[in-house]
Amino acid sequence: MSVFDGKRLPAGFFQIDTERLREGWYSDAYFLNTEMILTTLAEEGYNFNGMSDIIEIDNINNINGISPVNLNNGDIIVEMQFFTRRRPFSLIAGTDEAIAILRECTGYFNDKGQFVNTYHTMEVEAAMDGVVNFYEGNPKEVSPIMKIKGKYRDFARLETPILGVLTESTRIATNVYNVLAAAGGKDIMFFPARFAHYKVQEMHGYAYALAVKAYNQKYGKSSRAIVSTNAQGNWWGAHGGGTVAHASIACFLGDTAETMMQFCRVVPQEVPRIALVDFHNDCVGDTLKVMEKMFLAFLELYQAGRYNEAEKYRLFGVRLDTSGNMRDVSIPPLGDKNLDCGVNPRLVWNVRNAIDRAYESWDFPDSYAELAKAWCQQVKIIATGGFDAAKISRFEEMRVPVDIYGVGSSFLENSNVNNTKNDFTADIVKVKIDDKWYDLSKVGRRSCSNPDLGLVGGI
């Protein structure tokens, strides 16, 4: 069952380019060629005039008792299955959009150039977005997440965009799921917007949220879905969040503490105050400057009884984003780039220790010591820059005190390394002749089943 309550997303969410999908604008040319050939044969009334290794032809020119006169290849009805073979599993996403494409774009153009929708003549089975699809490695034992039965020339041109939707959505969802597993359910900020075309942000954000909910449901966790753009949250009703960028600090002439003071003063209180502290490659130093300035502003308002206003100056966390080719000034060199540079465990521990004891050097009345201590120790550490499931796993195994990870480009990866390749493919596995289905597929493939498949309703 889908983690989104068993309901499919409305077709309108996807803003499908219906006109150009129908015209084959996004289709590989060989599918268009096939459609043109089948359409021409149907118009000509062509009947099968070849030989088949799958269906035996007897000596009176019948195909298993079926006369070739009745076999019009142009109108051939097929069963096509769509599947992926990522090991050991994939978290499926994109079926809702694929179905929306089929509903809107299955059919043909008549002699007057009008599109005739024939989706109602098809039978479509599909898994719900959010199901986990397992694959053990046997190429003949795939678990299809969608099956289409219908006149092939009516949907041939849709194979390319459907495969693309399923591949991209499922890859993101599965990669996010694996990162959450590596982080043990800690919050994962979704930061790939700058690494992909802006038009795919909505789909990416949906796949991310799907994975967060699936992981929480599976393991009883409460990880939050945190996106950076409004587009990423559009399909599920969320808004982008964030605080400051390096460019913000540059606008304040490199003064990170003053940047945060103005952020706190101007930005609504419900936005978490997260300081980016690597501008000078001195995460500890900038963290301490930000904390002291913000706490003293907090304390002044607190002492005046303006408690709600004081909360504007409560630091939620600091974000470490040190470049992988830079060594923070707090890190004594060991001569190994992997140990010295970027956001590494030693840097996180240095910052954590500095945060927890920062109040000890501040000038305030002793009666507020416990308040200051609590204010400091609730500050979280957000680690970003070059994180993926493998790096997060190392940090978690070492119990590095990261509270939240921010992950970007690794969510988009689709390589053969560690079986992360998430490509989908589709095959015709059966043909229908005189109301009887015959197995027919390329060598190495066959029609397979999946209990997660369910019939999809009509238009």
Side-chain angles (χ1 to χ4, degrees):
M1 183 176 180
S2 169
V3 296
F4 280 164
D5 305 320
K7 296 180 180 179
R8 296 198 179 275
L9 291 177
F13 273 43
F14 307 112
Q15 299 180 343
I16 292 171
D17 189 353
T18 302
E19 182 176 345
R20 291 199 289 185
L21 279 165
R22 289 173 174 176
E23 293 173 351
W25 185 259
Y26 303 101
S27 304
D28 290 311
Y30 45 77
F31 293 121
L32 302 180
N33 293 340
T34 301
E35 179 188 325
M36 178 174 61
I37 293 169
L38 293 178
T39 299
T40 301
L41 297 184
E43 293 171 349
E44 294 175 347
Y46 167 90
N47 292 318
F48 183 63
N49 192 31
M51 300 292 294
S52 172
D53 293 332
I54 305 300
I55 303 174
E56 295 181 358
I57 300 179
D58 62 25
N59 56 12
I60 58 172
N61 208 28
N62 287 331
I63 305 175
N64 285 340
I66 301 169
S67 171
V69 174
N70 298 323
L71 183 53
N72 187 328
N73 296 85
D75 289 327
I76 190 83
I77 295 174
V78 305
E79 176 185 303
M80 173 170 276
Q81 65 183 16
F82 294 74
F83 61 93
T84 183
R85 292 184 292 185
R86 180 169 178 168
R87 288 179 280 176
F89 69 88
S90 296
L91 180 67
I92 299 302
T95 60
D96 290 357
E97 186 169 3
I99 291 166
I101 290 172
L102 284 168
R103 280 184 170 143
E104 295 295 325
C105 305
T106 297
Y108 63 93
F109 288 93
N110 63 20
D111 293 339
K112 297 180 180 180
Q114 299 169 324
F115 186 77
V116 179
N117 193 309
T118 61
Y119 176 77
H120 64 281
T121 68
M122 302 171 61
E123 180 181 300
V124 179
E125 296 177 276
M128 297 295 295
D129 282 355
V131 303
V132 176
N133 185 269
F134 291 95
Y135 176 64
E136 300 299 330
N138 185 339
K140 291 187 178 182
E141 296 296 334
V142 299
S143 185
I145 59 86
M146 179 179 287
K147 285 194 173 190
I148 301 172
K149 293 179 180 178
K151 189 181 294 184
Y152 182 64
R153 65 183 172 95
D154 284 358
F155 67 92
R157 66 180 56 194
L158 303 180
E159 182 173 335
T160 305
I162 287 175
L163 288 172
V165 164
L166 294 172
T167 295
E168 183 80 358
S169 302
T170 299
R171 179 174 71 246
I172 300 296
T174 309
N175 287 347
V176 171
Y177 191 95
N178 287 337
V179 166
L180 285 163
K186 291 181 177 179
D187 288 342
I188 303 294
M189 292 179 168
F190 191 64
F191 283 171
R194 67 184 62 187
F195 304 112
H197 196 285
Y198 69 91
K199 289 184 178 180
V200 298
Q201 286 187 22
E202 290 175 315
M203 179 268 289
H204 283 179
Y206 166 70
Y208 159 75
L210 192 76
V212 172
K213 193 164 186 180
Y215 178 83
N216 287 341
Q217 182 173 289
K218 172 71 173 179
Y219 294 101
K221 300 288 186 177
S222 56
S223 298
R224 296 173 296 168
I226 306 170
V227 293
S228 64
T229 75
N230 290 337
Q232 290 170 340
N234 185 42
W235 290 0
W236 46 285
H239 296 282
T243 51
V244 298
H246 293 109
S248 309
I249 301 169
C251 290
F252 285 90
L253 308 183
D255 190 331
T256 303
E258 179 61 16
T259 304
M260 288 305 301
M261 289 299 291
Q262 296 310 311
F263 181 96
C264 294
R265 185 179 68 83
V266 174
V267 177
Q269 182 177 322
E270 59 267 20
V271 179
R273 276 60 175 138
I274 300 174
L276 184 58
V277 294
D278 64 286
F279 191 87
H280 299 99
N281 206 39
D282 183 7
C283 289
V284 171
D286 276 355
T287 293
L288 293 176
K289 290 175 183 177
V290 168
M291 289 181 67
E292 182 172 11
K293 201 163 188 176
M294 286 184 61
F295 177 77
L296 293 179
F298 171 89
L299 183 60
E300 181 179 353
L301 293 166
Y302 188 90
Q303 289 173 316
R306 297 158 63 183
Y307 304 119
N308 289 336
E309 192 174 351
E311 290 300 313
K312 294 182 68 175
Y313 295 90
R314 183 180 293 280
L315 183 63
F316 176 84
V318 296
R319 179 159 75 93
L320 316 182
D321 193 46
T322 305
S323 173
N325 61 358
M326 300 289 290
R327 178 175 59 85
D328 188 272
V329 298
S330 73
I331 301 298
L334 296 176
D336 185 334
K337 185 176 181 179
N338 293 324
L339 299 176
D340 294 345
C341 298
V343 180
N344 59 67
R346 289 193 294 157
L347 176 58
V348 177
W349 277 112
N350 286 352
V351 172
R352 183 74 262 169
N353 291 333
I355 289 172
D356 291 344
R357 302 187 60 181
Y359 70 97
E360 295 176 0
S361 62
W362 296 344
D363 184 16
F364 56 82
D366 291 343
S367 58
Y368 291 102
E370 287 302 315
L371 177 67
K373 181 179 180 180
W375 188 96
C376 290
Q377 293 182 348
Q378 56 81 42
V379 174
K380 300 183 184 300
I381 293 179
I382 298 95
T384 61
F387 279 88
D388 57 16
K391 185 173 181 179
I392 291 173
S393 291
R394 292 195 299 270
F395 271 53
E396 291 301 300
E397 288 171 3
M398 298 172 64
R399 298 187 179 181
V400 180
V402 174
D403 298 291
I404 300 171
Y405 294 97
V407 181
S409 60
S410 69
F411 282 145
L412 309 179
E413 291 178 355
N414 187 33
S415 69
N416 285 310
V417 179
N418 297 324
N419 297 311
T420 61
K421 190 171 183 179
N422 220 119
D423 295 350
F424 271 75
T425 191
D427 290 305
I428 289 176
V429 290
K430 289 184 179 182
V431 294
K432 191 175 186 180
I433 304 171
D434 284 351
D435 293 324
K436 183 177 180 181
W437 285 101
Y438 294 85
D439 292 326
L440 189 147
S441 62
K442 64 182 287 186
V443 174
R445 304 285 168 81
R446 67 180 184 84
S447 179
C448 297
S449 61
N450 181 356
D452 289 322
L453 292 178
L455 282 173
V456 179
I459 297 176

